[in-house]
Amino acid sequence: IIHYQPPWWEPTLFEIKILDFSPALRLLRYAGVDFGHDQWRRRLLYNLDHLVDPVTSEPDKPWFVFAHVLAPHAPFVFRPDGSQRPQSGVLSLYSDVDSSESYETYKRLYTAQVSGLNVHVETMVDQILAASATPPVIAIVSDHGPKLENVYPEGLKHNLMMLYVPDIDKAVLHDDQNLVELFPILFRSIFGLPVPMPVQP
């Protein structure tokens, strides 16, 4: 299990949320100390930087590595070049637009975070490809994106699905492939596992 462990002197995300209800954390941020956003960025990078660890530790062993990376979900901690973005406001995982932000500001920050995250994801993919003794299967998929229909008419965004797979019958995958069927299809087509396909309601 890839697990980021913050240093002992740093408050946990739960403690940071408790501090958010007091003036202490705001005073620290005013002084340039920001535990929450800095820790959140380190947590994201730790997961991406260490996804390749199982492969490099035992390259001849088959691995199934799964990571849930909460980005480009808010909070926004990446500039477009992948560097650290200065914090703004209270640390929150709430994905809707804050009432104090304009939609244009939200779009700018979200787009910048997508570009910055891509820099680190591309590095992660290159590391996995370089470390794999046999061609790996890599699936990068997203959820529906930020929920905006309650505030703005654009509504939910589409899913992202990028696959790097060995030669398989391309007919088993299609342009509007849904996420529920994706892994059963890959397990059946690539590994020959008798995984049942989900039943459509």
Side-chain angles (χ1 to χ4, degrees), residues 32-185:
V33 178
D34 177 37
F35 292 117
H37 289 80
D38 289 347
Q39 185 185 121
W40 189 252
R41 184 173 186 276
R42 286 196 299 274
R43 185 182 299 270
L44 295 174
L45 291 179
Y46 185 89
N47 286 338
L48 293 173
D49 291 343
H50 290 272
L51 268 177
V52 74
D53 287 359
V55 182
T56 56
S57 64
E58 297 183 74
D60 297 327
K61 182 178 179 180
W63 287 97
F64 179 85
V65 183
F66 176 86
H68 182 198
V69 180
L70 282 174
H73 191 293
F76 302 120
V77 294
F78 292 110
R79 287 192 171 108
D81 63 357
S83 62
Q84 183 171 1
R85 176 182 176 271
Q87 66 86 19
S88 62
V90 173
L91 178 73
S92 174
L93 302 185
Y94 187 59
S95 61
D96 287 5
V97 177
D98 188 277
S99 59
S100 63
E101 291 181 337
S102 70
Y103 184 45
E104 292 305 316
T105 298
Y106 186 88
K107 285 199 303 185
R108 176 175 56 81
L109 297 179
Y110 188 88
T111 303
Q113 178 125 305
V114 169
S115 298
L117 181 66
N118 284 347
V119 173
H120 298 286
V121 170
E122 289 172 9
T123 299
M124 176 266 295
V125 170
D126 289 341
Q127 290 173 340
I128 293 174
L129 292 174
S132 299
T134 57
V137 177
I138 302 175
I140 300 174
V141 297
S142 75
D143 66 2
H144 48 68
K147 185 179 180 182
L148 302 175
E149 77 273 13
N150 293 334
V151 184
Y152 299 102
E154 279 74 5
L156 299 178
K157 308 303 180 187
H158 295 288
N159 296 87
L160 168 73
M161 185 183 299
M162 296 189 296
L163 303 176
Y164 179 90
V165 296
D167 290 333
I168 63 172
D169 182 2
K170 300 300 188 290
V172 301
L173 298 169
H174 41 87
D175 291 339
D176 60 346
Q177 185 67 60
N178 67 65
L179 298 182
V180 176
E181 294 177 341
L182 174 61
F183 285 100
I185 287 175

Side-chain angles (χ1 to χ4, degrees), residues 12-21 25 90-93:
T12 65
L13 290 176
F14 176 74
E15 291 167 340
I16 289 170
K17 292 307 295 180
I18 296 298
L19 286 172
D20 266 335
F21 291 99
L25 202 57
V90 173
L91 178 73
S92 174
L93 302 185

